[in-house]
């Protein structure tokens, strides 16, 4: 899809300094992910990945009720084997793109995060939820299974037992319960959610951009490796960061007792 941010139908983009706020904007359908929304998100994240002015991305949902209430059930209801697989692959490609983005991505879960909505949030680096949010993978109640990465990312995040309870019951949980099992990093009053999310995102953006990208890569790639291979990866990435002007600037700034001035390129 050619990218023209003024022509997005179901997604909006706002920039606040070095933060980009991506809002899934189909409130009449509780921001459910139809094909257009997935394609627009994919395109937008690809653009944000290469936009040097963007230091971190926050994803949220329009309206007060939902973050994203899942994949669009109207679309799912019509699918057969081949388009079902293709649908899952499109959702997986989007969530992989987010997970591998070269900058931090935070989810501001302002309401229902169900099915594909929770899977979208699971691909983010950090999740904050409104105290009113409900989170779950209700796919089995619709006679399907999660298809945008939920069966893989949820157990890696919260452990197999908690993940299987959520997946096999299909029951949503409260934000407080999500915090208890480690599914979200923090819970806030709805009116505070975006401010808190932006405050954490700004802390991240105040750090070295290459350091953020490589630290994220070390964690994201490392979790799939043995400890020995992960440590090798970390040492390699440490070598790479040690060759950068960013490292020289970070060290000099500390020794000269001044704030580092990062170059974004
Ligand atoms: N796909 C398509 N449309 C959806 C949707 C989804 N995942 N989730 C909500 N909507 C639509 C509803 O069909 C309704 O549209 P309509 O007004 O044209 O009928 C609108 O959004 C509002 O939803 P509604 O169900 O009336 O709101 P509610 O407050 O009564 O219930 C939910 C909210 C989230 C509990 C309920 O919408 C729901 O269960 N949604 C499906 C969640 C789900 O199973 N997601 C996983 C899909 S794989």
């Amino acid at each position: 899809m050619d990218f023209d941010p003024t022509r997005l139908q179901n997604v909006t983009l706002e920039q606040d300094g070095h933060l980009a706020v991506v809002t899934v904007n189909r409130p009449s359908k509780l921001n459910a992910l139809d094909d257009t929304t997935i394609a627009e998100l994919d395109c937008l994240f690809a653009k944000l990945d290469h936009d040097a002015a963007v230091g971190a991305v926050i994803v949220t949902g329009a309206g007060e009720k939902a973050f994203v209430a899942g994949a669009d059930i109207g679309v799912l209801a019509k699918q057969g084997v081949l388009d079902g697989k293709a649908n899952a692959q499109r959702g997986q490609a989007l969530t992989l793109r987010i997970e591998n983005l070269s900058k931090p991505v935070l989810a501001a879960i302002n309401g229902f995060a169900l099915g594909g909505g929770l899977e979208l949030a699971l691909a983010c680096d950090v999740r904050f939820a409104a105290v009113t949010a409900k989170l779950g993978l209700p796919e089995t109640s619709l006679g399907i299974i999660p298809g945008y990465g939920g069966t893989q990312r949820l157990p890696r995040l919260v452990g197999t037992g908690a993940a299987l309870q959520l997946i096999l019951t299909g029951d949503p949980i409260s934000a407080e319960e999500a915090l208890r099992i480690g599914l979200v990093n923090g819970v806030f009053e709805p009116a505070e959610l975006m401010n808190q999310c932006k405050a954490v995102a700004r802390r991240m953006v105040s750090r070295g951009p290459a350091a953020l990208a490589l630290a994220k890569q070390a964690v994201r790639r490392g979790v799939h490796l043995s400890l020995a291979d992960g440590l090798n990866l970390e040492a390699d990435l440490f070598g790479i960061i040690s060759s950068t002007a960013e490292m020289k600037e970070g060290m000099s700034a500390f020794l000269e007792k001044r704030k580092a001035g990062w170059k974004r390129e």
Side-chain angles (χ1 to χ4, degrees), residues 24 29-33 41 59-61 66-71 109-118 120 134:
V24 182
K29 294 291 176 189
L30 302 188
N31 306 321
L33 301 173
L41 283 169
V59 192
T60 194
F67 172 70
V68 168
I109 302 173
N110 55 312
F112 289 112
L114 301 175
L118 181 56
L120 181 68
K134 292 268 184 288

Side-chain angles (χ1 to χ4, degrees), residues 28-30 32 65 69-73 76 112 114-115 138-139 142 144:
S28 66
K29 294 291 176 189
L30 302 188
K65 208 164 160 183
D72 191 309
I73 296 172
L76 297 181
F112 289 112
L114 301 175
E139 283 87 346
L142 295 163
I144 56 171

Side-chain angles (χ1 to χ4, degrees), residues 3 12 32 47 67 76 80 93 100 102 108 113 115 120 129 133 154 175-176 208 211 223 225 232 254 262:
F3 183 79
T12 62
K47 167 83 171 52
F67 172 70
L76 297 181
N100 292 329
S102 60
L120 181 68
L154 187 61
E176 292 294 350
V223 290
L225 302 176
N232 275 333
F254 178 83
W262 309 120

Side-chain angles (χ1 to χ4, degrees), residues 89-220:
Q89 286 171 330
R90 282 193 295 275
Q92 289 177 358
L94 168 64
T95 53
L96 256 186
R97 186 189 290 291
I98 292 172
E99 187 170 78
N100 292 329
L101 216 77
S102 60
K103 41 201 90 179
V105 185
L106 299 87
I109 302 173
N110 55 312
F112 289 112
L114 301 175
L118 181 56
E119 291 171 302
L120 181 68
L122 282 169
C124 297
D125 301 313
V126 170
R127 285 155 291 282
F128 293 121
V131 68
T132 48
K134 292 268 184 288
L135 303 90
L137 291 176
E139 283 87 346
T140 53
S141 69
L142 295 163
I144 56 171
I145 68 169
Y148 295 175
T151 62
Q152 304 306 304
R153 291 196 179 95
L154 187 61
R156 285 171 165 84
L157 185 65
V158 301
T160 312
L164 280 169
Q165 184 175 336
L166 276 168
I167 293 168
L168 298 181
T169 64
D171 290 335
I173 57 172
S174 67
E176 292 294 350
E177 177 66 0
L179 181 64
R180 194 187 68 77
I181 66 171
L183 176 52
V184 298
N185 300 60
V187 174
F188 302 103
E189 288 302 319
E192 270 306 300
L193 176 65
M194 187 49 77
N195 285 343
Q196 295 285 348
C197 212
K198 283 187 174 180
V200 172
R202 283 197 190 96
R203 295 289 296 154
M204 294 174 176
V205 170
S206 72
R207 311 310 189 192
L212 291 178
L214 294 190
K216 178 166 165 174
Q217 212 186 106
V219 173
R220 290 297 192 189

